[in-house]
């Protein structure tokens, strides 16, 4: 990534963190009408913000998503179904923790760690949604910066995440999220620059935009996967847009509700 893109991305992340932090000490309890056959997650565990390269925040999938039918998906890569008893236990645990804003209040004097992501847990139950945000939850475990219930929920979700990664099957739908990061014209590139892949839509980047995100399905998703067979979070391949500009591309699988 070039310095311009990295700093712009960091700035965008900073805005997100500030806005999210303002509501971190208050649970969100809102009506959540169904109105759609699209599966809705019963629980999501996400990481947001932190100091990350351009495009990384858009590429980052939820750590864990749990659906009412017992399907768990970890990092948009592996899938496992659990029993309804475990679903109820997870829902009750998450709702109990997230409906109390006090569980997201940092202990006075707890150390602050710069540039770490925030953990966001969101639970839905009986048409209601509860969500809390914790800055550096995993990184502050030893310092017990947050109340015990926050770490208890983190442990519960971590156990499920490890179980999905250990015993789950691959989650590979014909649906992906494409992330495109435009490079500066003067930036040197050490990897081959390839022609824009056939069958993949060209992103529409307005003036002064350097980042685009687009969800692709079916033929378009498969075309992107042929051009970029393995999503690599470190080394993004470089392609030349039809107008001559160069861009890095990456992707991840979409989740059922996306």
């Amino acid at each position: 990534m070039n310095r311009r893109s990295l700093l712009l991305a960091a700035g965008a992340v900073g805005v997100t963190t500030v806005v999210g932090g303002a509501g971190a000490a208050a649970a969100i309890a809102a009506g959540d009408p169904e109105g759609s056959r699209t599966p809705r997650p019963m629980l999501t565990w996400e990481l947001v913000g932190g100091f990350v390269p351009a495009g990384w925040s858009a590429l980052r999938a939820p750590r864990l998503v749990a659906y009412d039918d017992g399907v768990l998906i970890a990092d948009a890569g592996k899938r496992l179904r659990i029993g309804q008893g475990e679903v109820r236990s997870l829902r009750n645990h998450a709702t109990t923790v997230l409906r109390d804003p006090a569980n997201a209040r940092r202990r006075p004097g707890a150390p602050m760690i710069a540039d770490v992501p925030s953990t966001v847990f969101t639970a839905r139950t009986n048409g209601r949604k509860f969500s809390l945000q914790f800055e550096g939850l995993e990184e502050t475990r030893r310092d017990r910066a947050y109340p015990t219930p926050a770490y208890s929920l983190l442990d519960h979700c971590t156990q499920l995440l490890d179980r999905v990664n250990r015993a789950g099957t691959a989650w590979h739908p014909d649906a992906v999220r494409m992330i495109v990061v435009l490079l500066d014209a003067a930036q040197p590139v050490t990897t081959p620059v390839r022609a824009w892949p056939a069958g993949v839509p060209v992103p529409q980047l307005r003036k002064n935009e350097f980042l685009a995100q687009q969800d692709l399905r079916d033929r378009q998703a498969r075309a992107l996967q042929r051009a970029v067979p393995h999503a690599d979070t470190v080394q993004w391949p470089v392609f030349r847009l039809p107008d001559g500009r160069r861009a890095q591309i990456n992707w991840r699988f979409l989740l059922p509700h996306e």
Side-chain angles (χ1 to χ4, degrees), residues 191-248:
T191 58
V193 179
R194 292 179 268 172
W196 188 260
V200 176
V202 177
Q204 301 301 310
L205 288 159
R206 295 190 295 269
K207 186 178 181 180
N208 296 326
E209 284 187 336
F210 73 97
L211 178 66
Q213 170 183 313
Q214 188 169 351
D215 292 344
L216 309 179
R217 290 177 167 79
D218 304 323
R219 292 182 185 176
Q220 293 180 342
R222 292 191 292 271
L224 178 58
Q225 289 176 272
R226 285 193 298 271
V228 186
H230 304 288
D232 187 336
T233 57
V234 177
Q235 188 66 48
W236 293 31
V238 179
F239 291 84
R240 192 176 301 280
L241 294 164
D243 63 7
R245 292 180 296 174
R246 299 167 305 161
Q248 292 178 309

Side-chain angles (χ1 to χ4, degrees), residues 47-95:
L47 296 179
V48 301
F51 188 75
V52 293
W56 174 257
S57 292
L59 182 69
R60 183 163 49 192
R63 297 243 61 200
L64 184 71
V65 180
Y67 295 91
D68 285 316
D69 62 359
V71 169
L72 306 180
I73 299 179
D75 297 311
K78 280 202 166 184
R79 173 189 183 277
L80 180 73
R81 188 185 295 273
I82 61 176
Q84 283 302 305
E86 290 184 281
V87 171
R88 286 192 295 273
S89 175
L90 179 60
R91 180 190 291 111
N92 292 340
H93 187 181
T95 302

Side-chain angles (χ1 to χ4, degrees), residues 132-147:
L132 288 176
Q133 179 167 319
F134 310 81
E135 184 177 354
L137 182 62
E138 296 180 75
E139 293 80 2
T140 59
R141 174 184 289 280
R142 291 181 59 185
D143 298 305
R144 310 302 292 180
Y146 291 97

Side-chain angles (χ1 to χ4, degrees), residues 157-181:
C157 290
T158 298
Q159 290 169 3
L160 291 171
L161 175 70
D162 292 343
R163 185 171 156 194
V164 176
N165 284 327
R166 182 178 62 253
T169 57
W171 170 252
H172 289 168
D174 278 346
V176 301
R177 175 158 295 167
M178 177 178 68
I179 310 300
V180 179
V181 178

